[in-house]
């Protein structure tokens, strides 16, 4: 809890230093209209209720924590953090229908479950977009990561387009130049990239997401990725053997601690045991490599946890809808067509 207090203090100091009109409230520009504790008056128990439900959800199935964190990434990068990842499309033209990036997304029913609880407590008040970021924040906390404040006050978008998901999400075989571009077009920095990629310290990935690039057909040449740690590769090949094992077989992204939010992601990447090309690629840029090396050697998680909290604020401000725009839906996964 001490860390939480420190982070809140840092945020307040930052807010005052940049002469914001109201402490804790985002200034004009990115994230205008968001605030820490936006529901203080309109739904005072909102954050507590989300955490309560998240505890039940991950207790029932621990793989859902990572899934909900990933859902936030996909919501925010595609048309902003506006809950549009939840929308369904009968004609299969929505964000959720984008292949292959969205095919393995999970956690939709759980967002709906949290939403139902909030609808009971405060009808038509808390947006799906805010539920997604609060659930993701709690997923980090419930895997022994930090608990940090997130801004709320987002409203839900009504548009969900498959092509946005195809265009705006980096594929797992993206190189460092492309990764930095995917982030910078969304106003996120190399630091946000390297810090948020550390989310892969929890969760699991299907073989189809990495096996060809890393194990069997690197650069289309029918070989194993020469940068992959030679001692790490055989175990992965065993899990993802083509033909014998299914592409959907899941592999721990951080072997041994897939449900522990810690620094081992950076130790792995530094030791050439990052799972995706996009993880390994963090060693191909001076600044991201420097950060990976420093976190791999860090004795405490304190700096990383602070960086993570700040990066989540940044990502959470992406193209948000606030004020009277957008809507507060009763059901997050409504049909758009
Ligand atoms: C930098 C570019 C990124 C790429 C290319 C990428 C790619 C992927 C891929 C391919 C998977 C495996 C999905 C599957 O096979 O089921 C995955 C999983 C995951 N990603 Fe990322 N990701 C990126 C950034 C992020 C960010 C920014 C976050 C969160 C803030 C995130 C959080 C996660 C989590 C938690 C999982 C595990 C999901 C689960 O266990 O169900 N990723 N990512
Ligand atoms: C909500 O309450 C918290 C804790 O007292 C405070 O830090 C925050 O600034 C408040 N937010 C708003 C928008 O009133
Ligand atoms: C990035 O920031 C610029 C300048 O503040 C703004 O005009 C633009 O809409 C932002 N883009 C995104 C994707 O947030
Ligand atoms: C390897 O990649 C190349 C180029 O993308 C492709 O033509 C070839 O079919 C792939 N081989 C296998 C075994 O998937």
């Amino acid at each position: 809890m001490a860390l939480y207090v420190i982070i809140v203090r840092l945020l307040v100091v930052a807010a005052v230093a940049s002469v914001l009109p109201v402490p804790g409230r985002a200034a004009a520009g990115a994230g205008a209209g968001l605030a820490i504790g936006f529901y203080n008056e309109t739904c005072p128990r909102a954050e507590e209720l989300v955490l309560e439900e998240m505890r039940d959800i991950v207790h029932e199935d621990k793989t859902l924590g990572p899934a909900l964190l990933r859902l936030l990434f996909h919501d925010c990068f595609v048309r902003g953090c506006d809950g549009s990842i939840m929308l369904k499309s009968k004609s299969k033209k929505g964000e959720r229908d984008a292949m292959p990036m969205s095919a393995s997304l999970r956690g939709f029913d759980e967002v709906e479950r949290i939403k139902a609880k909030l609808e009971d407590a405060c009808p038509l008040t808390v947006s799906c977009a805010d539920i997604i970021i609060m659930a993701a924040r709690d997923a980090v906390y419930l895997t022994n990561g930090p608990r940090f404040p997130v801004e709320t006050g987002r409203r839900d978008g009504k548009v969900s387009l498959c092509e946005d998901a195809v265009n705006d999400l980096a594929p797992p075989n993206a190189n460092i130049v492309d990764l930095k571009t995917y982030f910078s077009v969304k106003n996120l920095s190399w630091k946000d990239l390297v810090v948020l990629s550390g989310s892969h310290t929890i969760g699991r990935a299907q073989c189809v997401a990495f096996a060809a690039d890393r194990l069997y057909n690197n650069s289309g040449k029918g070989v194993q990725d020469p940068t992959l740690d030679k001692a790490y590769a055989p175990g992965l090949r065993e899990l993802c053997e083509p033909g014998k094992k299914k592409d959907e077989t899941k592999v721990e992204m951080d072997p041994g601690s897939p449900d522990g939010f810690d620094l081992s992601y950076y130790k792995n990447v530094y030791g050439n045991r990052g799972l995706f090309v996009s993880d390994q690629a963090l060693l191909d840029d001076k600044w991201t490599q420097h950060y990976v090396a420093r976190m791999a050697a860090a004795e405490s998680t304190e700096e990383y946890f602070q960086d993570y909290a700040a990066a989540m604020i940044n990502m959470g401000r992406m193209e948000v809808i606030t004020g009277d725009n957008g809507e507060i839906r009763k059901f997050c996964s409504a049909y758009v067509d």
Side-chain angles (χ1 to χ4, degrees):
M1 282 310 110
L3 182 64
Y4 182 82
V5 172
I6 292 166
I7 292 171
V8 172
R9 287 218 184 110
L10 285 174
L11 287 168
V12 171
V13 169
V16 172
S18 55
V19 203
L20 298 183
V22 181
R25 190 160 294 183
L34 300 182
I36 289 168
F38 181 85
Y39 299 110
N40 279 1
E41 265 121 61
T42 52
C43 191
R45 294 190 63 218
E47 307 216 9
E48 191 186 321
L49 291 172
V50 174
L51 177 59
E52 208 171 85
E53 199 64 18
M54 279 299 290
R55 277 190 202 282
D56 289 348
I57 288 168
V58 302
H59 183 73
E60 287 161 31
D61 177 354
K62 64 181 174 6
T63 71
L64 285 166
L68 282 158
L69 177 55
R70 181 171 179 233
L71 201 60
L72 172 71
F73 166 52
H74 283 233
D75 188 32
C76 291
F77 265 75
V78 186
R79 223 169 232 282
C81 316
D82 67 344
S84 60
I85 190 73
M86 294 293 298
L87 291 167
K88 286 184 180 165
S89 156
K90 290 198 182 93
S91 60
K92 298 281 167 213
K93 288 186 181 144
E95 294 175 23
R96 283 169 76 160
D97 305 304
M99 298 288 281
M101 270 82 84
S102 299
S104 58
L105 279 181
R106 297 165 62 226
F108 298 106
D109 294 347
E110 287 67 31
V111 170
E112 210 62 81
R113 189 171 145 180
I114 299 169
K115 174 66 167 171
K117 189 163 181 156
L118 289 173
E119 283 301 301
D120 279 349
C122 346
L124 295 177
T125 304
V126 182
S127 66
C128 301
D130 283 342
I131 291 172
I132 293 173
I133 195 164
M134 289 187 275
R137 177 270 303 272
D138 293 341
V140 171
Y141 175 58
L142 295 170
T143 47
N144 289 324
R147 183 157 161 88
F148 46 84
V150 290
E151 293 173 327
T152 44
R154 294 166 194 77
R155 298 189 35 110
D156 295 326
K158 304 175 194 178
V159 179
S160 178
L161 299 172
C162 178
E163 66 248 38
D164 287 337
V166 173
N167 293 335
D168 293 353
L169 289 165
N173 64 359
N175 64 31
I176 188 67
V177 174
D178 291 343
L179 287 168
K180 284 197 292 185
T181 305
Y182 276 103
F183 273 62
S184 68
V185 298
K186 300 288 182 179
N187 289 339
L188 293 189
S189 67
W190 67 264
K191 185 159 182 186
D192 295 314
L193 167 65
V194 68
V195 169
L196 291 172
S197 291
S199 303
H200 291 168
T201 182
I202 57 171
R204 295 149 190 88
Q206 301 184 340
C207 291
V208 69
F210 63 89
D213 294 307
R214 298 293 261 159
L215 303 174
Y216 297 109
N217 201 6
N218 186 255
S219 310
K221 291 182 191 142
V223 296
Q224 180 172 303
D225 187 335
T227 62
L228 182 65
D229 177 46
K230 299 285 180 292
Y232 181 41
L236 290 177
R237 294 176 79 100
E238 166 76 17
L239 287 165
C240 300
E241 213 176 332
K244 295 197 179 152
K245 306 269 165 66
K246 286 204 168 134
D247 280 351
E248 304 93 74
T249 300
K250 288 197 178 175
V251 173
E252 295 176 356
M253 299 194 294
D254 178 0
S257 80
D259 300 296
F261 196 96
D262 54 26
L263 293 172
S264 49
Y265 170 82
Y266 295 103
K267 295 191 175 82
N268 288 334
V269 171
Y270 197 63
N272 296 320
R273 294 182 303 277
L275 192 57
F276 305 139
V277 171
S278 68
D279 297 316
Q280 179 82 29
L282 297 173
L283 296 179
D284 297 339
D285 165 270
K286 186 175 142 200
W287 296 105
T288 56
Q289 181 194 66
H290 187 241
Y291 189 87
V292 169
R294 218 151 48 73
M295 289 307 136
E299 276 167 20
S300 140
T301 52
E302 190 173 331
E303 182 186 349
Y304 180 59
F305 285 1
Q306 285 181 16
D307 287 346
Y308 195 82
M312 286 287 266
I313 294 272
N314 292 341
M315 184 166 75
R317 290 182 172 184
M318 216 179 255
E319 297 161 81
V320 290
I321 303 172
T322 55
D324 297 326
N325 300 318
E327 63 181 1
I328 305 290
R329 273 196 287 285
K330 186 166 169 57
F331 296 102
C332 298
S333 34
Y335 279 97
V336 277
D337 62 29

